[in-house]
Amino acid sequence: MNQSTCITDLTGAQIKELVLALGAPAYRAKQLQQWVYQKLAISFDEMTNLPAPFRAKLAEQTRLHSLIQVKELTDPDRTVKTLFTLADGQTIESALMAYPGSGGHARYTVCASTQVGCAIRCAFCATGQQGFERNLTAGEIIDQVLYFARRLRDTGDAVSNIVFMGMGEPMANYDNLWQAIEMLNSPDGFGLGARHMTISTAGVIPMIERLSREKLQVGLAISLHAADDDLRNQLVPLNRKYPLKELIPAVRAYFEATGRRPSFEYILFEGINDSLPQARALVHLVQDLNCHVNIIPANNTADSRFRPPNQDTLLAFEEELKRLRLNYTMRQPRGLHIDAGCGQLRSRFLKDRR
Ligand code: SAH
């Protein structure tokens, strides 16, 4: 272990090894984990039930965090968007979204990144335009959640959901993502139910199959955006590798293996995928899957080809879905005033720095 070892990069078993290597008894591992994941400690000094010499060794050889907050914007809709730097100087962004909940208590969803940049290069996505730098470690994924959990604790609130829908393709970083999910779910870790976590993917079929074999009930969302291969090839280049005729059966197989209802995201782009025949094609494609479709008007990015449709087009598209009895929700885009779309804050940061 060296000083660059971040506690949140360690699995439960590795934390035990660390504790033993530092000459402390095994039960200290659980206490350490409680400080990190439940009491959300920001320093080893706080861990007052650990002996001071042990704390000193921990502080010498490890660190507690991997993220430094560099910028934060709050939208009038209460969406918070945060830009972080990582130990190697790379930057990522995460978001916190508040939704009305029962009993006056808001529910909070963390939108976490899984990679620095993204290799999929979806035409409409700000992160896609940045190219790919590297995978995030498990600790870098976890720390985004802990950061917002700490913020919320100050007002007596808590993280209720995590969606892996920030920068990057989660399924292209499966091992680290899964390590993070296990710790976020573990009763000795962050303790959030797996059903409160959702992985969003552009459609990496082998990893959808892998997810369907996992015991944890983590949700799956597919970024669809087009119901025919020609258009989807253009919007989501990964479609050339994993076309709809293979993706849809893979999603069906996932449902049959897990009993968990998948969801689809369909972003509406003006003049691209917002016509009535396209609404019908969408319904036709997914209607016999036991699924839910989220329709989301696009967030504007620097690329002016991708705009949200006007209100009339939106309503007509929605009417058609209703008429055909699709199980869908029309979502409000969030954080429109703060460039909260995927990768937008980092794009601006990179541009300013040049
Ligand atoms: N790579 C994964 C997860 C990250 S993207 C995936 O593709 O699902 C998270 C979601 O943001 C995806 O549905 C993506 O298509 C969407 N998104 C990207 N750019 C957007 C934009 N300009 N407006 C609206 N949604 C966008």
Side-chain angles (χ1 to χ4, degrees):
M1 299 284 170
N2 56 42
Q3 175 138 45
S4 65
T5 300
C6 187
I7 299 283
T8 50
D9 274 328
L10 304 179
T11 62
Q14 288 169 331
I15 290 182
K16 244 175 235 144
E17 274 170 40
L18 167 73
V19 164
L20 295 175
L22 295 181
Y27 71 90
R28 296 289 184 204
K30 195 166 174 169
Q31 291 177 314
L32 177 57
Q33 257 178 264
Q34 282 170 346
W35 278 109
V36 175
Y37 291 105
Q38 288 158 24
K39 300 181 204 164
L40 305 172
I42 51 168
S43 78
F44 293 107
D45 298 337
E46 283 173 59
M47 306 181 181
T48 45
N49 61 350
L50 302 182
F54 177 52
R55 274 187 274 150
K57 273 189 225 164
L58 280 172
E60 211 175 273
Q61 301 194 26
T62 68
R63 62 198 157 83
L64 266 181
H65 319 279
S66 47
L67 308 178
I68 299 169
Q69 190 250 76
V70 283
K71 200 175 172 104
E72 190 150 274
L73 299 170
T74 305
D75 193 276
D77 75 7
R78 295 176 67 202
T79 300
V80 178
K81 184 78 180 231
T82 308
L83 185 77
F84 299 102
T85 47
L86 311 175
D88 62 355
Q90 294 284 3
T91 49
I92 55 162
E93 49 182 68
S94 323
L96 181 71
M97 294 162 291
Y99 298 94
S102 54
H105 264 285
R107 302 184 60 76
Y108 292 92
T109 298
V110 172
C111 178
S113 292
T114 52
Q115 298 182 312
V116 183
C118 187
I120 309 265
R121 295 183 177 275
C122 295
F124 51 85
C125 174
T127 306
Q129 305 318 304
Q130 297 164 3
F132 175 70
E133 296 288 344
R134 69 168 172 86
N135 282 331
L136 294 187
T137 66
E140 288 165 340
I141 297 170
I142 289 171
D143 283 349
Q144 300 169 59
V145 178
L146 298 185
Y147 171 85
F148 288 116
R150 270 184 216 108
R151 270 181 67 116
L152 289 172
R153 180 182 55 178
D154 295 342
T155 53
D157 290 300
V159 173
S160 12
N161 290 282
I162 303 170
V163 294
F164 299 100
M165 293 186 186
M167 299 171 52
E169 168 52 49
M171 294 296 204
N173 185 16
Y174 195 101
D175 290 342
N176 294 350
L177 172 65
W178 200 257
Q179 185 186 322
I181 285 175
E182 286 190 321
M183 187 56 94
L184 290 167
N185 171 254
S186 164
D188 291 332
F190 190 65
L192 184 72
R195 287 161 194 262
H196 297 272
M197 303 187 215
T198 301
I199 300 174
S200 179
T201 179
V204 185
I205 291 175
M207 297 301 134
I208 294 172
E209 291 165 355
R210 191 167 161 191
L211 180 65
S212 70
R213 294 192 294 271
E214 302 283 2
K215 294 274 178 302
L216 293 182
Q217 304 264 309
V218 176
L220 173 69
I222 308 283
S223 294
L224 194 61
H225 312 331
D228 69 89
D229 280 318
D230 277 349
L231 180 59
R232 196 162 189 272
N233 284 343
Q234 291 171 46
L235 293 175
V236 184
L238 188 70
N239 194 70
R240 296 192 190 119
K241 191 163 176 193
Y242 301 118
L244 291 171
K245 67 173 182 302
E246 293 168 24
L247 180 59
I248 298 299
V251 174
R252 180 176 291 114
Y254 164 88
F255 174 72
E256 282 164 4
T258 63
R260 303 196 291 269
R261 228 162 55 129
S263 64
F264 289 93
E265 291 143 271
Y266 190 98
I267 303 173
L268 280 175
F269 301 108
E270 181 182 46
I272 294 177
N273 64 357
D274 61 352
S275 73
L276 296 187
Q278 284 165 323
R280 292 192 279 272
L282 169 63
V283 175
H284 184 72
L285 185 70
V286 303
Q287 68 186 352
D288 71 329
L289 292 169
N290 202 331
C291 70
H292 186 89
V293 182
N294 288 309
I295 310 287
I296 315 156
N299 265 20
N300 286 316
T301 65
D303 191 333
S304 57
R305 289 174 300 166
F306 301 101
R307 300 268 168 229
N310 65 37
Q311 206 56 29
D312 288 349
T313 310
L314 221 99
L315 283 176
F317 194 91
E318 187 172 1
E319 277 309 311
E320 194 67 358
L321 301 183
K322 240 184 238 163
R323 192 176 68 81
L324 297 170
R325 301 181 188 287
L326 182 73
N327 182 7
Y328 78 96
T329 307
M330 181 64 78
R331 300 275 170 190
Q332 290 300 317
R334 302 283 306 222
L336 287 180
H337 302 91
I338 56 168
D339 289 351
C342 181
Q344 288 179 298
L345 183 58
R346 178 167 184 262
S347 284
R348 207 170 58 190
F349 177 80
L350 294 175
K351 203 167 118 210
D352 290 349
R353 200 165 60 174
R354 272 200 293 272

